[in-house]
Amino acid sequence: MRKLLITGGAGFIGSHVVRRFVKQYPNDQIFNLDKLTYAGNLENLKDIDQSGNYHFIKGDITDTAFIQNLFETHQFDGVIHLAAESHVDRSISNPMEFVLTNVIGTVNLLEAAKKAWGSNIEGKRFYHISTDEVYGALGETGFFTETTPYDPHSPYSASKAAADHMARAYFKSVAVPVITTHCSNNYGPFQFPEKLIPLMIRKASRGEELPVYGDGGNVRDWIHVSDHCSALCAALFKGVPGSNYLIGGRCAKSNLEVVHEIIDIVKEMVPSPSRAVNRELVRFVEDRPGHDRRYEVDPTRIEKELGWRAKTSFREGLRDTVQWYFDHEEWIRGIEHKSYLGQRLGLRGILE
Ligand code: NAD
C-alpha cells in the first residue's frame, strides 16, 4: 500500500488525476490536498468522494507549519504536485498570488518531503507538474525540447519556472527524487470556464459573441486531459528522478482554428438553436499583454523512453468535451453563481 499526496486535486487536471488513482489503484491511499480557491471545486469529484481509499484535506500549500505537520502525520510515499494559480490573465492582474502559491508553496512541499524522507528515498517520488510556457515563445518554426533554455514571459510562467528551478535544486543538492513534466495546453471535462475552450463552448452554445484575442493567430499544442493523465502515470512510474519530460498531443492549432471547430461542432449538435451559431460570432478583441505567439512541444523523449503517446484525436476529444459541457449545464451554473461570469480578465494589469 502506498500513500500518495496529490495537491490541487479539486482543480481541472488534478480531479482527473485523483479519479484515475482512486479507481485504478484501490490499494493505495490517495490524499487530495486543496485550498479550494475559485478554481477548486469538490463537485469535480462527486463520483468518487465516498471511496474508501480517498481522503480530502482542505489546506494551503503556502502554510509552512501545516505542510510540515501533514508530512509528519502521514508519511507519504509520493507527491504529485499540481496545486497552482494557473491562469495567465489573472497572473497579469495579480502576480503575487502566483509567487506565493507556485513558488513558496512548491518550496514548502519540497522542504517537507526532504525532511520526511531524508536519505530513505527508495521508492519515493516528488512529481512536479510544470508547463511548456516556461520556455517562452517560438517563431514560425521549431519546437520546445527538454533542453530549450527557459524564457518565461508572463508572471504565471515565470512563477512556474522559479518553482521548476527549486525542484531541480532539491534534486541536485539534497537528493529529493524529483521528476518534472512540462505539458502543453489541456482541454476536456471540468475545465474552469475562463479558459479558451470551455469559454468558447459556453458562449457559442448561447449564441453569444466569441471574443478572440488579437488576430487569433496564436498557436498552441492541444492535448486531451486523459492523455495528460496517462503521460503522468508513465512519468511517475517509469521516469528517472532528476529528469524532465515534455508532454504534448502533437496537435498544434491557432486559437482561431480552435474556435472555428467549436462553432462547427456546436452548430451540428444544436440543430435549431434559439440564436444563430456561425463563424460570424467571432469578434477580435484587444490582445493579451505580452501574448506568446506560438508554443509547440516535441514529445519524442517521453514517447521513446517511457513508451507513452497521446491517443485522443483533437476532433474526437473536442466533440466529447462539447457534449460534456452541454450535459453539465448545472456545473457551469454553479461556477457562475459562485465566482465567474465569463468576463474578460487581465487586460491592463487590473481585474476588469
Ligand atoms: P486549476 O487552476 O484548474 O486547478 C488548480 C487547483 O489548485 C485548484 O483546485 C485550486 O483550488 C488549487 N490551489 C490553488 N492554490 C492552492 C494553494 N495555495 N494550496 C492548495 N491548493 C491550491 O489548474 P489546472 O489547469 O488543473 O492545472 C494543474 C497544474 O497543471 C498546474 O500546476 C498547472 O501549472 C499545470 N499545467 C496546466 C496546463 C493546462 O493546460 N491547464 C498545462 C500544463 C501544465
Side-chain angles (χ1 to χ4, degrees):
M1 184 193 87
R2 290 169 301 196
K3 268 187 165 185
L4 286 180
L5 175 68
I6 301 179
T7 71
F12 163 46
I13 301 170
S15 61
H16 288 270
V17 176
V18 166
R19 180 175 298 97
R20 179 176 286 241
F21 276 84
V22 166
K23 285 188 166 175
Q24 207 161 316
Y25 303 101
N27 294 328
D28 289 349
Q29 295 299 313
I30 309 302
F31 293 79
N32 171 15
L33 167 64
D34 201 296
K35 183 182 171 185
L36 300 181
T37 66
Y38 78 95
N41 187 350
L42 289 178
E43 290 295 314
N44 298 359
L45 292 163
K46 266 271 164 272
D47 56 326
I48 55 100
D49 66 4
Q50 297 305 314
S51 309
N53 64 337
Y54 172 70
H55 314 272
F56 176 67
I57 302 165
K58 185 167 191 267
D60 187 338
I61 59 169
T62 68
D63 182 339
T64 310
F66 164 74
I67 292 293
Q68 289 293 345
N69 192 271
L70 190 70
F71 274 71
E72 280 160 25
T73 309
H74 290 291
Q75 304 291 319
F76 298 116
D77 299 297
V79 178
I80 306 176
H81 173 38
L82 295 120
E85 286 295 335
S86 69
H87 190 40
V88 175
D89 288 343
R90 287 181 193 260
S91 80
I92 294 166
S93 308
N94 193 7
M96 194 53 83
E97 277 296 311
F98 286 68
V99 174
L100 290 173
T101 289
N102 299 359
V103 187
I104 309 290
T106 301
V107 177
N108 272 340
L109 291 163
L110 287 161
E111 187 62 18
K114 177 190 86 177
K115 287 189 179 145
W117 296 340
S119 56
N120 180 23
I121 53 171
E122 183 67 33
K124 307 284 195 290
R125 287 290 179 274
F126 188 107
Y127 186 170
H128 172 60
I129 311 289
S130 185
T131 164
D132 60 348
E133 300 194 29
V134 296
Y135 297 115
L138 294 161
E140 291 300 311
T141 57
F143 302 94
F144 297 139
T145 70
E146 284 78 3
T147 55
T148 302
Y150 275 43
D151 183 23
H153 291 170
S154 70
Y156 164 64
S157 53
S159 66
K160 293 295 288 188
D164 294 3
H165 290 311
M166 289 305 291
R168 190 166 307 165
Y170 269 77
F171 171 74
K172 294 267 186 198
S173 62
V174 287
V176 175
V178 171
I179 288 176
T180 301
T181 54
H182 307 266
C183 191
S184 59
N185 277 38
N186 287 226
Y187 69 98
F190 297 112
Q191 188 166 30
F192 195 83
E194 66 189 353
K195 303 279 169 74
L196 180 76
I197 288 183
L199 184 68
M200 295 298 146
I201 294 173
R202 177 175 168 280
K203 286 187 181 285
S205 61
R206 295 174 188 185
E208 294 174 7
E209 283 188 337
L210 305 177
V212 172
Y213 291 176
D215 63 1
N218 302 69
V219 173
R220 300 292 181 263
D221 175 270
W222 291 96
I223 181 169
H224 192 268
V225 63
S226 60
D227 282 325
H228 186 183
C229 286
S230 62
L232 184 146
C233 288
L236 180 70
F237 297 126
K238 297 194 256 172
V240 179
S243 301
N244 64 327
Y245 302 90
L246 262 57
I247 301 170
R250 292 193 180 276
C251 173
K253 289 194 179 281
S254 73
N255 287 348
L256 191 58
E257 284 177 289
V258 170
V259 172
H260 281 166
E261 287 197 44
I262 290 171
I263 293 170
D264 295 346
I265 294 171
V266 170
K267 212 165 131 185
E268 248 173 70
M269 284 189 178
V270 191
S272 45
S274 52
R275 292 162 76 178
V277 178
N278 57 50
R279 292 184 178 194
E280 280 164 32
L281 290 176
V282 170
R283 181 168 52 91
F284 294 103
V285 297
E286 186 178 338
D287 211 349
R288 165 189 283 167
H291 200 179
D292 288 338
R293 192 68 182 167
R294 190 170 76 89
Y295 304 146
E296 204 169 335
V297 311
D298 175 1
T300 301
R301 179 175 191 186
I302 188 166
E303 289 172 357
K304 284 209 168 132
E305 293 182 16
L306 307 186
W308 169 88
R309 208 183 170 95
K311 290 200 176 101
T312 314
S313 80
F314 187 69
R315 189 75 185 182
E316 174 198 330
L318 192 59
R319 183 175 289 280
D320 289 352
T321 304
V322 172
Q323 187 66 58
W324 187 87
Y325 279 93
F326 278 11
D327 294 344
H328 293 79
E329 185 64 22
E330 239 175 75
W331 181 86
I332 297 180
R333 291 213 186 279
I335 286 171
E336 286 176 341
H337 187 63
K338 217 171 82 188
S339 57
Y340 182 66
L341 286 166
Q343 69 274 29
R344 178 83 197 255
L345 299 166
L347 189 55
R348 279 172 289 278
I350 49 166
L351 277 172
E352 267 91 328

